[in-house]
Amino acid sequence: MNLPPALLKTLLAGTARAPVATDSVGAALQTVLACAPPEMLIWHSVAATDLWQRAGQSPAQTAPQASCEPEATCPRAAEQVLHLILRGIHPEQLDQWLATAARMGYRLPHASLVPLLEKVTPRHALQAQVAALMGKRGHWLAAQNPAWATLCSAPEQSSAALWQTGALAQRCKALVDMRRADPAAALAALVQEWVQEPADNRIALLPCLATALSLDDEAFLERALDDKRKEVRQSAQQLLAALPGTGFEQRALARLHAALRVDAGTLHITLPDTRDGAMQRDGIGMEKHHGMGEKAGWLLDMVQQVTPRHWSAQWQATPAQVIALMAASEFKTAMLTGLTRAAARMIGHDTSADARDWFMTLILQDDPARTQVHTVHLLTPQLACLPPEQQDQILAQWIAQRAWGHAVNWAATRSEALSAPLSRSLLAAVQRDMAALTTHDYSMRANLKALGSVLDADDTAYATAGWPASDWPAWPHYREVVDEMMDTLQFRHTMQRSFLESKP
């Protein structure tokens, strides 16, 4: 029960200090309470308010009910699986259920609309997926409750209109759409509003120029290097570093050519004594790097601003040879970390053959000299930029290198499960390593929990084989989590099959 503020004040302070006011309850109840004895008015008011709220009320103006035109709702079996998820049985699979329904062109079952609308709050990550599957009836229903209003279909607005009147997130999306349609016009719109934009808006809007980035953006980005906010300057530096042929690139190359020299197969490094104003403006030394000295951090910043393909051309070397040169230097961690960051940025803007070659070489290197360089951590977020066959090639290599934990972590971020061959290889690697364990390994336990959501679930027979042998010392530690993994896998199998069943 939610009491009106005036009535709550009377209850807390007492009628002697805060008498019951005539407007302590809603106007609709004031007539009913007019005949209440003065000494009982406070209690009658509380009772009437409680009954009023529990009884509910009709909207002041109810929209006409949505037409009952037939919509392609999911099969009954899939609806039953959704009900299980909403009741708390494998709730982590809701996003996969919604993704499967969207892929197959189904709308949400009508009986599930209210539970889903209640579940998907304005901050829920699945709000957009639910809104896309609600259908006409769902959008009509959402319009009847103010708490669900954010899920209602909004009138279509042009990108230009949203850019002028939308919230910040809408303006960012509008700017990206405008960049796709007319990059020059979008840049002009941003330039026109830039001076009067608050700092938080500038921070959010500038990265939108990554869409259709070109040399036409250079002059504006150079001005952004002098912005008062560090986050804006960092975005400008990253965008300029992704553009070949800019003054920013020339300044970065000049610094590195003065600092690096290859002689007789050895990389010699001479770092500057001071950080001049131009270096500061371009972001050199802007952030501290954990475990590195100040000048090593400068070197990292300088290297990450240059595209990796430059070193292949400059030193007439393959990516593997460049990596070996840097790994043999006294500043190997700074050099290789900068190189890895540059490769991650490059693949985000350029998926040419040599860019992919650099990415593949770095992420699949198995060199102990680079143990302090978090190569996989830095590059994995960009794996989605590669063609599917190269993604699978990397996953297969990780499994072969006994680094299958990387494969599990990456697969957990994908919207689709692993292929059947990769699933079989991955599970075999897990069983092989588990059989060799003699103590409890917490990373193994975490990876096992994730396996149930990433393995191929079309046919689960392969997943039941190979467990366990009598000579597995650590099996008692993992029996329960393996059972949980198998339960998740079987649930996903049932969910997938449910969408293929014919409607009654």
Side-chain angles (χ1 to χ4, degrees):
M1 175 173 57
N2 296 317
L3 293 175
L7 187 56
L8 181 61
K9 178 181 178 181
T10 300
L11 281 172
L12 295 175
T15 55
R17 298 176 61 187
V20 181
T22 56
D23 60 350
S24 294
V25 295
L29 294 178
Q30 291 176 14
T31 303
V32 176
L33 295 172
C35 300
E39 67 276 11
M40 297 297 294
L41 181 58
I42 180 67
W43 306 116
H44 284 208
S45 298
V46 172
T49 300
D50 179 47
L51 288 171
W52 178 269
Q53 291 181 359
R54 284 195 288 159
Q57 56 183 339
S58 300
Q61 184 177 6
T62 305
Q65 185 174 358
S67 63
C68 295
E69 298 176 2
E71 292 183 311
T73 56
C74 64
R76 177 63 179 165
E79 181 178 352
Q80 292 172 341
V81 171
L82 178 59
H83 288 168
L84 291 175
I85 293 173
L86 293 175
R87 283 165 49 194
I89 299 175
H90 289 290
E92 78 283 355
Q93 296 301 319
L94 178 57
D95 61 335
Q96 289 300 314
W97 192 98
L98 295 171
T100 304
R103 188 168 60 250
M104 301 189 72
Y106 289 132
R107 299 294 186 186
L108 292 172
H110 296 157
S112 301
L113 286 172
V114 170
L116 272 171
L117 288 170
E118 290 285 358
K119 183 178 181 64
V120 184
T121 62
R123 295 181 181 272
H124 200 285
L126 300 179
Q127 182 182 15
Q129 287 179 267
V130 171
L133 301 177
M134 290 196 310
K136 292 182 179 179
R137 180 170 298 193
H139 284 283
W140 171 84
L141 184 63
Q144 311 313 308
N145 185 344
W148 302 337
T150 55
L151 289 163
C152 296
S153 297
E156 288 291 334
Q157 297 187 54
S158 66
S159 296
L162 285 173
W163 168 249
Q164 293 296 330
T165 62
L168 180 57
Q170 292 173 313
R171 294 185 69 213
C172 288
K173 182 180 183 305
L175 183 59
V176 169
D177 292 340
M178 291 161 63
R179 290 282 290 182
R180 292 193 181 106
D182 188 342
L187 176 63
L190 180 61
V191 171
Q192 183 177 359
E193 302 289 337
W194 186 253
V195 175
Q196 61 193 25
E197 293 287 357
D200 289 343
N201 288 22
R202 299 198 306 276
I203 292 169
L205 291 169
L206 191 61
C208 298
L209 294 186
T211 300
L213 185 66
S214 72
L215 286 174
D216 294 337
D217 305 314
E218 181 184 6
F220 176 69
L221 292 173
E222 281 284 348
R223 293 198 299 274
L225 290 177
D226 300 313
D227 196 275
K228 294 181 180 179
R229 287 298 295 266
K230 174 182 176 181
E231 298 91 337
V232 176
R233 299 196 301 271
Q234 286 178 323
S235 291
Q237 291 154 10
Q238 292 166 6
L239 290 169
L240 283 167
L243 268 176
T246 62
F248 183 92
E249 181 187 52
Q250 295 305 313
R251 295 194 298 271
L253 289 175
R255 293 186 194 106
L256 284 171
H257 289 167
L260 306 181
R261 177 176 58 87
V262 175
D263 183 21
T266 301
L267 179 60
H268 301 275
I269 302 174
T270 305
L271 296 178
D273 294 326
T274 59
R275 185 169 64 111
D276 59 30
M279 292 173 66
Q280 295 180 44
R281 183 173 182 268
D282 287 348
I284 308 302
M286 179 181 288
E287 60 176 316
K288 303 297 182 183
H289 301 285
H290 179 71
M292 288 189 192
E294 183 181 37
K295 290 190 176 182
W298 298 354
L299 180 60
L300 188 159
D301 292 338
M302 289 190 289
V303 173
Q304 74 175 349
Q305 291 180 350
V306 174
T307 178
R309 65 162 60 93
H310 168 77
W311 305 115
S312 295
Q314 177 75 14
W315 297 336
Q316 293 295 298
T318 65
Q321 291 169 335
V322 171
I323 292 169
L325 269 174
M326 293 185 174
S329 71
E330 58 177 321
F331 293 100
K332 62 183 178 185
T333 301
M335 293 290 294
L336 291 173
T337 302
L339 183 71
T340 302
R341 290 186 178 186
R345 183 189 63 247
M346 180 171 67
I347 201 68
H349 296 273
D350 178 4
T351 56
S352 61
D354 62 329
R356 296 198 307 271
D357 185 29
W358 262 104
F359 188 92
M360 296 281 287
T361 303
L362 277 165
I363 203 168
L364 293 178
Q365 280 285 313
D366 188 18
D367 185 350
R370 301 189 304 121
T371 53
Q372 295 182 347
V373 181
H374 304 294
T375 306
V376 173
H377 173 74
L378 292 170
L379 294 180
T380 296
Q382 300 294 82
L383 261 177
C385 299
L386 298 179
E389 61 273 13
Q390 287 191 312
Q391 294 181 33
D392 287 351
Q393 181 183 344
I394 290 173
L395 295 179
Q397 189 67 25
W398 278 340
I399 295 170
Q401 291 175 346
R402 305 179 79 94
W404 53 265
H406 297 326
V408 174
N409 293 336
W410 162 240
T413 68
R414 305 204 317 179
S415 59
E416 297 181 358
L418 296 175
S419 66
L422 278 176
S423 295
R424 285 163 172 75
S425 298
L426 176 56
L427 191 59
V430 171
Q431 292 173 333
R432 176 199 63 208
D433 288 357
M434 185 184 294
L437 285 175
T438 57
T439 59
H440 191 193
D441 183 340
Y442 284 98
S443 64
M444 170 71 79
R445 191 176 185 87
N447 286 326
L448 281 170
K449 287 185 176 181
L451 272 180
S453 296
V454 305
L455 293 177
D456 174 51
D458 286 342
D459 180 6
T460 59
Y462 74 95
T464 61
W467 307 97
S470 58
D471 57 347
W472 288 18
W475 173 247
H477 295 296
Y478 301 111
R479 179 191 296 273
E480 182 181 353
V481 72
V482 169
D483 288 342
E484 292 176 7
M485 181 267 289
M486 293 299 299
D487 181 61
T488 301
L489 189 62
Q490 186 59 47
F491 185 86
R492 290 177 50 232
H493 174 73
T494 301
M495 179 172 66
Q496 291 180 15
R497 299 290 298 176
S498 70
F499 280 97
L500 303 179
E501 293 191 10
S502 301
K503 292 186 178 183

